[in-house]
Amino acid sequence: MVAIVVPLVLGLATARGSWFADDLDLLVYGQRGFSPGVLFAPANDHIVPGLRVVFAVFAEFGDFSYTFTVVWRCLFLAADIFLLGSLLFRLVGSSTWALLGAAWYGVSPLLLQAFAQLSAGVNDVHAQFFALVLLHCAVDWFADHRRRALVLGPVALALVLSFWLKAGLVVTTALALGWIISRVGVRRRLVDVALWSVTMLVPVVAYAAVVLPRRRADTARWPGVEVELRLLFDSVRESVLMPFVGGPWTWTDTAPYGFADPPVVAQLLGAVVLLFLLVLTWRHHRAVLLLWLSAAVFVVATVLLVSVGRYFQFGDSLTRHYHYWSDLGLPLVLATVLTLHRALPWPTGGRPGLVASERHVPRGLPTRLVVPLVGAWFVGAVVSHVTFGAMWGQNPAPAYFATLADEVDEAGSPPNIWDTTVPTTIAPFINEHRRLGDILSVAGIDVRFQQPDGAPRVVDESGRLRPADFQVWATGVVPPDCGLKLVGAGTVTIPLDHPVPEANWYVKMAYLANPDARVRVELVDARDGSVSALTSHTEAWPSGLLTAYLNDPLAVVGKPATEIRLVSTDPSTSVCIGTTEVGLVEPTR
């Protein structure tokens, strides 16, 4: 029931949002299929072929339906909760702690934020699915010496790495868990650990051999020891302590992303609960300190990940973004459940687990202690979910795409529009794909871009179609009466009446062609020789007296230019060039 109800609730909340930010880049790549060049293309600075495969599946079978992606995430989250619950029952037997641990994992706000955004959700639910398979394999090996675990375990780790490199730290959790449940002497236990570690090296080495040569040049910068220590302290109080109190309760107002912003009382309560659990571990089951140590490894690695190469661009915001902390839930849940089961047994009958409880405790004692605490935690989690859900509902993408779809339907036939960029609230400046030409096919909206059969319209910030205002910045110096003609294979150059600086330039070029002409147009800076090829969105310029509409394909800022160059490789080309203008496009006021 937990594995069904929790994903259903999160899925209904997630459906209030839509694609934005990294989602759009990954969806565009997904349209390009399953070729190795696409699957191993960097996503930000990560090589994650598993992530690419899932987005290609979305394109192939889901037709990029947002509902399809929500259902997909719900199914994998349900599998994650079920795998964790079954792992806990293997460890502690028929104990209420196992059920509470599975529920805690599913309802924890650590997973909420990652699940809501598609790109983070695909990372996390898949990586944790295979991480849980790996933990089951560890139990098979260390408890029962099942040799299949030495094969399935490395396969599971390879799949973990293919979705989320940092989630590979689950190996430390597997080793800690294996040491705790092993039933053999220390010498044989060390042999088991060595064999397990060797098998785990196989996918790591294979991953490094395949991925490292494909990575982009590393431009990461170390922010310094002082910054790292501050980020570590902030991460512990704002993120690491929050699962223990259902926090963070409150979030920043940076909708729809949302960063943890817990009040001081939540931080203090989280510290008290964690300290209490550590004391119980020390008194009743010190071997579980290995699992707490595994959690500490996750914490340090996460702080390094979000600081080296990112701190100078994003500051400390990413340490409060729970996408980066969701995989911490596995070692925390395991350490907490094993500690409480050993110190405060709460059986419900049935078979025992691999980890026996330490002593008999009157049946009513855990109930009197735990029920109020669980209730308080649940209240905190509900507050966290509701406040995040309200913020997630402010995602501007659904309204933008819905408005544009309605405008296109009202137009009757696919409208002719300029290939402008989408608002930065939907696709920020760091996105590789920000243009409507890249994104609208993902959204299933049928339009035409910059066709020469009429003046293109423009999409405004709200998604409405508006007449376009072309603000001219420079004019091409073109002789009148077909004084500039491109005939056959060759090149002609049009000087601009003055240079244009870096900007997202568009070009209007009147022409007379017979027959259809294939022409490449480039913005050129004669001062340094830099060239930027323009996009025309037509395979050929149709014959007749028409206007070609072109744009710089760069999403944010194009290169400066002093002239326009036209290049033809077709011997049949015959084009007269008329009025040529370089400018910017915006909705008519």
Side-chain angles (χ1 to χ4, degrees):
M1 290 302 297
V2 170
I4 294 173
V5 172
V6 171
L8 181 61
V9 172
L10 291 183
L12 292 174
T14 298
R16 301 177 63 188
S18 184
W19 302 311
F20 77 113
D22 292 345
D23 303 348
L24 294 172
D25 272 345
L26 292 168
L27 289 165
V28 172
Y29 266 103
Q31 290 180 312
R32 300 174 186 173
F34 297 90
S35 69
V38 172
L39 297 184
F40 287 92
N44 294 326
D45 56 351
H46 305 294
I47 307 292
V48 280
L51 180 78
R52 297 284 194 203
V53 166
V54 171
F55 276 88
V57 170
F58 289 161
E60 187 71 21
F61 300 105
D63 195 27
F64 285 138
S65 161
Y66 185 69
T67 301
F68 181 81
T69 69
V70 174
V71 172
W72 181 284
R73 280 175 277 175
C74 288
L75 291 175
F76 267 90
L77 179 58
D80 292 348
I81 295 172
F82 183 81
L83 281 176
L84 180 61
S86 62
L87 177 64
L88 292 174
F89 275 106
R90 293 182 71 181
L91 295 174
V92 301
S94 299
S95 169
T96 306
W97 291 122
L99 179 62
L100 290 177
W104 180 29
Y105 168 80
V107 182
S108 172
L110 275 188
L111 202 60
L112 168 66
Q113 191 171 22
F115 182 84
Q117 187 176 346
L118 178 60
S119 54
V122 172
N123 270 135
D124 290 313
V125 298
H126 294 83
Q128 295 196 41
F129 175 85
F130 294 111
L132 285 161
V133 172
L134 174 64
L135 292 176
H136 276 277
C137 289
V139 173
D140 287 343
W141 172 246
F142 287 101
D144 300 322
H145 289 96
R146 296 179 185 177
R147 295 182 180 178
R148 68 183 183 186
L150 296 180
V151 176
L152 295 178
V155 172
L157 178 58
L159 292 170
V160 169
L161 296 175
S162 74
F163 281 97
W164 184 221
L165 181 59
K166 186 171 75 74
L169 293 171
V170 72
V171 170
T172 63
T173 305
L175 287 172
L177 187 61
W179 187 269
I180 294 168
I181 66 174
S182 180
R183 301 168 178 172
V184 297
V186 173
R187 181 176 298 179
R188 177 61 188 276
R189 195 178 301 185
L190 290 173
V191 172
D192 290 345
V193 168
L195 286 173
W196 178 261
S197 300
V198 169
T199 63
M200 292 296 104
L201 285 176
V202 174
V204 173
V205 172
Y207 180 88
V210 172
V211 167
L212 291 182
R214 299 173 181 264
R215 290 200 65 180
R216 294 171 178 169
D218 187 9
T219 58
R221 287 191 292 164
W222 172 258
V225 175
E226 182 179 352
V227 171
E228 292 288 2
L229 290 177
R230 179 175 60 81
L231 289 177
L232 180 61
F233 175 75
D234 291 343
S235 297
V236 170
R237 65 185 182 86
E238 295 174 341
S239 302
V240 178
L241 297 176
M242 291 304 102
F244 300 108
V245 291
W249 305 353
T250 57
W251 309 79
T252 62
D253 57 358
T254 52
Y257 296 91
F259 302 108
D261 188 23
V264 174
V265 64
Q267 300 172 32
L268 294 176
L269 287 174
V272 169
V273 174
L274 177 58
L275 182 61
F276 173 72
L277 291 171
L278 291 175
V279 170
L280 286 182
T281 303
W282 179 260
R283 292 187 57 188
H284 299 288
H285 201 176
R286 294 181 184 178
V288 177
L289 289 173
L290 292 173
L291 284 171
W292 292 111
L293 180 61
S294 170
V297 171
F298 273 83
V299 172
V300 173
T302 301
V303 172
L304 291 174
L305 174 68
V306 299
S307 60
V308 177
R310 289 172 170 83
Y311 177 78
F312 295 101
Q313 186 174 8
F314 299 105
D316 62 353
S317 61
L318 295 186
T319 60
R320 295 180 289 135
H321 193 293
Y322 281 178
H323 163 45
Y324 293 93
W325 294 103
S326 58
D327 51 6
L328 177 63
L330 291 180
L332 286 185
V333 168
L334 289 171
T336 301
V337 170
L338 293 188
T339 294
L340 293 175
H341 168 71
R342 189 67 173 265
L344 299 172
W346 197 1
T348 57
R351 66 173 179 82
L354 296 171
V355 180
S357 58
E358 183 180 56
R359 56 192 173 83
H360 174 72
V361 176
R363 193 176 185 83
L365 179 58
T367 304
R368 290 195 299 271
L369 286 174
V370 173
V371 169
L373 295 177
V374 170
W377 185 93
F378 183 76
V379 170
V382 169
V383 170
S384 296
H385 282 65
V386 169
T387 52
F388 179 81
M391 181 174 52
W392 180 248
Q394 300 174 33
N395 188 326
Y400 177 84
F401 288 120
T403 299
L404 181 53
D406 290 342
E407 292 276 303
V408 171
D409 289 342
E410 187 176 339
S413 59
N416 186 23
I417 66 173
W418 284 101
D419 187 14
T420 55
T421 57
V422 298
T424 56
T425 53
I426 296 173
F429 286 117
I430 60 174
N431 270 37
E432 181 179 352
H433 304 99
R434 291 194 56 227
R435 288 195 174 277
L436 292 169
D438 296 320
I439 292 171
L440 289 194
S441 59
V442 169
I445 299 175
D446 186 18
V447 299
R448 299 179 302 139
F449 290 101
Q450 299 170 200
Q451 299 301 303
D453 57 356
R457 288 188 281 174
V458 68
V459 179
D460 67 13
E461 291 283 311
S462 67
R464 297 190 179 279
L465 291 174
R466 302 268 300 279
D469 181 14
F470 192 88
Q471 298 183 350
V472 179
W473 278 60
T475 302
V477 181
V478 180
D481 302 325
C482 201
L484 182 65
K485 191 171 185 178
L486 178 60
V487 179
T491 301
V492 296
T493 299
I494 305 173
L496 299 178
D497 58 359
H498 62 271
V500 294
E502 292 183 351
N504 188 12
W505 296 116
Y506 297 84
V507 174
K508 292 171 60 176
M509 183 176 294
Y511 72 90
L512 173 63
N514 186 25
D516 292 356
R518 297 182 181 274
V519 180
R520 186 173 77 250
V521 183
E522 301 168 336
L523 282 177
V524 179
D525 190 344
R527 296 166 296 189
D528 61 7
S530 63
V531 177
S532 179
L534 299 178
T535 300
S536 66
H537 293 279
T538 56
E539 293 185 4
W541 291 5
S543 62
L545 181 59
L546 299 167
T547 299
Y549 302 99
L550 309 104
N551 65 274
D552 189 330
L554 295 178
V556 183
V557 177
K559 297 177 181 178
T562 60
E563 58 191 30
I564 298 176
R565 184 163 63 202
L566 289 80
V567 181
S568 170
T569 57
D570 185 354
S572 66
T573 297
S574 178
V575 179
C576 286
I577 304 300
T579 303
T580 299
E581 297 173 332
V582 179
L584 301 176
V585 175
E586 65 177 24
T588 299
R589 297 178 182 177

